[in-house]
Amino acid sequence: MKKRVAFLIPQFYWGGMPHVASQLILLLEDEYEITLILVNNRLDIRIDTYSANVIRLQGSGLKKLVELHHLLKRESFFAVLSFGVIDNLLNIIMSPSKTRVVITEHSTKSFENALETSGLKKRFYSFGIRHLYPRATAVIAVSNGIKEDLEHYYHLKNVQVIYNPVRIDDRFRDLGVKDKSLIRLIHSENGKIVLNVGRITGPKGQLNLVKSFKNLKSENIHLVLIGEGPDSEAIENYIKTNNMTAFVHLIGTRSNVLTWMKNSDLYATLSWFEGFPGVLVESVYSSLPVLSPDNYSGPREILSQGKASRYSQPVSYPVCLPNGILIDRFDFREKRGNFKRIEDQFAHYIARFIDYKENRQYKPSLEFIDNNEIRMQYINLINGSEVN
């Protein structure tokens, strides 16, 4: 009989964590009977749940917490795997003593916590990570940078690194009529396409990226932004106000991201911080070079094909690596909203590296991410064996 394992996660609507959880379900469903517990019962399910039994917690506030407590106690799962700081803390607090509590961290917490505007929440999260995370069976960091951050700022000693799996579904889907027309128009003018994909928010840096394009001294380089989010309207207004509609295109969400990557020339990001960004992995998978700051964390490891994982080791920027280019690291906590120098410099890098596909140093590979190895690492951890 298969062991029963639960995945506890906020939602399966958008974002990196649901996609990672989905791939883990696919990798582990032959080994375990998996129940997917979604805390948010309002957002639609957009991402594959495969064979998992899906439970959406009902009610709000205290009622939902009571339901989760009863569910975990009644079902007595062999292990509960959780995603995100709130669900991690719920897993630690509410799972029965015999349940193996495995929590996962997908972002650099000291940076993420710096964005929290509520002082009470900020102190609560810091306290929970520092004093409750040590009670977990294991803390999985999805990059070495996250592990460094958790150990340095929160003094954790039970952190293990397991990379996110590569998505193994075939998603090179056809482009729609509008997308084909846009690509045809750009290419007909010998134009180049710089791509960015993700939820449109301040920390993801799309507005900074658009501002850098304002300084770009080349009329045949276009920026295509794929995604939606709370900052979409502000970016649309900025594009219109600054007469950039001819070469900056905010096109909304797409299910054919990989196909867009195949038709682009460079993936560019000015994200303030990351964990192990799946979109960079997808870019490499699609043979699209990446241009990224050397921020915490993930780009250094992904672009170097896993060979550079110590973030304290200084490098001379820009660094041309097999999967793309690393440029100067910046700390948004020190910038206080003033990114002008970074945006101006980034425009220079875009013009310089737009043809990186033809560069002899560009030899894309994801061999350092082995789905079979990741599967066995999770199985060993869930079952109580050592992670290799």
Side-chain angles (χ1 to χ4, degrees):
M1 182 180 294
K2 293 181 180 179
K3 293 175 180 175
R4 299 171 63 248
V5 172
F7 282 30
L8 179 63
I9 191 169
Q11 45 81 19
F12 249 53
Y13 181 77
W14 60 15
M17 287 194 304
H19 283 290
V20 173
S22 175
Q23 289 305 302
L24 288 176
I25 290 171
L26 185 58
L27 289 177
L28 298 173
E29 61 185 0
D30 289 341
E31 185 76 17
Y32 303 107
E33 180 184 329
I34 299 174
T35 297
L36 179 63
I37 304 172
L38 302 180
V39 176
N40 190 313
N41 59 10
R42 296 179 180 177
L43 291 174
D44 294 335
I45 296 176
R46 283 186 173 183
I47 300 167
D48 288 332
T49 60
Y50 298 106
S51 66
N53 172 40
V54 180
I55 296 177
R56 310 188 74 171
L57 299 181
Q58 300 302 311
S60 59
L62 182 60
K63 184 178 179 181
K64 190 177 292 186
L65 295 181
V66 171
E67 182 184 359
L68 176 62
H69 174 71
H70 289 326
L71 173 65
L72 296 178
K73 184 177 180 180
R74 180 179 69 249
E75 297 297 331
S76 296
F77 295 106
F78 181 80
V80 177
L81 184 67
S82 53
F83 301 77
V85 62
I86 294 296
D87 290 52
N88 287 339
L89 295 175
L90 292 175
N91 188 5
I92 294 167
I93 294 169
M94 293 190 176
S95 290
S97 58
K98 292 183 179 179
T99 298
R100 293 183 64 79
V101 174
V102 180
I103 65 178
T104 66
E105 272 303 342
H106 297 255
S107 69
T108 316
K109 302 314 294 182
S110 66
F111 286 80
E112 184 177 31
N113 214 19
L115 289 171
E116 180 54 60
T117 57
S118 167
L120 180 61
K121 286 183 179 179
K122 187 177 293 189
R123 289 190 294 272
F124 172 74
Y125 294 149
S126 294
F127 177 87
I129 295 170
R130 188 182 298 268
H131 298 286
L132 295 181
Y133 273 31
R135 292 170 47 183
T137 305
V139 179
I140 295 175
V142 301
S143 73
N144 286 281
I146 294 176
K147 182 176 188 288
E148 284 184 15
D149 186 72
L150 290 172
E151 291 177 341
H152 177 74
Y153 286 97
Y154 303 100
H155 311 297
L156 299 185
K157 300 184 183 301
N158 57 338
V159 185
Q160 304 175 42
V161 176
I162 304 180
Y163 284 148
N164 293 331
V166 178
R167 295 189 203 179
I168 52 182
D169 54 330
D170 183 9
R171 295 173 301 109
F172 284 102
R173 298 166 183 166
D174 288 340
L175 296 172
V177 174
K178 289 184 178 180
D179 291 357
K180 288 180 180 178
S181 297
L182 176 57
I183 292 173
R184 225 175 5 248
L185 175 63
I186 295 171
H187 287 168
S188 68
E189 300 173 350
N190 296 317
K192 301 283 187 176
I193 297 175
V194 176
L195 189 68
N196 179 276
V197 181
R199 189 162 183 249
I200 309 294
T201 66
K204 288 298 182 182
Q206 287 98 344
L207 182 55
N208 304 115
L209 189 54
V210 172
K211 288 181 177 179
S212 75
F213 260 74
K214 186 181 177 183
N215 302 309
L216 199 61
K217 305 303 180 183
S218 175
E219 296 180 356
N220 71 334
I221 301 179
H222 292 245
L223 174 63
V224 175
L225 300 171
I226 296 179
E228 60 183 24
D231 284 8
S232 295
E233 185 175 351
I235 290 179
E236 286 178 352
N237 291 337
Y238 186 91
I239 293 170
K240 292 175 182 176
T241 301
N242 290 275
N243 300 314
M244 301 171 69
T245 55
F247 57 92
V248 178
H249 316 276
L250 180 58
I251 66 173
T253 58
R254 291 292 187 272
S255 62
N256 47 25
V257 168
L258 295 186
T259 312
W260 260 104
M261 289 177 171
K262 281 290 187 183
N263 285 276
S264 299
D265 298 280
L266 186 69
Y267 186 90
T269 174
L270 270 175
S271 184
W272 300 358
F273 67 96
E274 288 287 356
F276 192 78
V279 69
L280 300 196
V281 174
E282 290 178 326
S283 295
V284 178
Y285 179 73
S286 305
S287 298
L288 179 64
V290 174
L291 176 65
S292 171
D294 187 22
N295 291 348
Y296 276 81
S297 65
R300 176 177 286 215
E301 295 171 66
I302 294 169
L303 300 192
S304 70
Q305 300 176 354
K307 295 176 182 177
S309 59
R310 290 179 54 232
Y311 287 78
S312 58
Q313 182 175 353
V315 296
S316 179
Y317 302 110
V319 187
C320 294
L321 296 167
N323 290 342
I325 310 100
L326 279 182
I327 63 167
D328 313 46
R329 180 181 299 173
F330 67 90
D331 189 337
F332 73 90
R333 297 172 297 186
E334 300 172 356
K335 297 302 174 184
R336 300 178 182 176
N338 183 11
F339 289 87
K340 188 176 186 309
R341 185 191 65 80
I342 295 166
E343 292 158 358
D344 292 348
Q345 186 182 49
F346 202 70
H348 166 75
Y349 283 134
I350 289 172
R352 177 177 172 182
F353 293 110
I354 189 66
D355 294 317
Y356 198 68
K357 271 187 177 181
E358 285 72 47
N359 193 302
R360 287 179 296 175
Q361 291 178 280
Y362 180 57
K363 299 176 181 178
S365 172
L366 291 174
E367 290 184 359
F368 71 103
I369 305 176
D370 187 326
N371 280 4
N372 290 327
E373 180 181 348
I374 290 168
R375 177 179 181 273
M376 289 310 304
Q377 287 176 309
Y378 271 96
I379 289 174
N380 290 337
L381 188 57
I382 290 170
N383 290 349
S385 305
E386 290 294 326
V387 176
N388 294 328

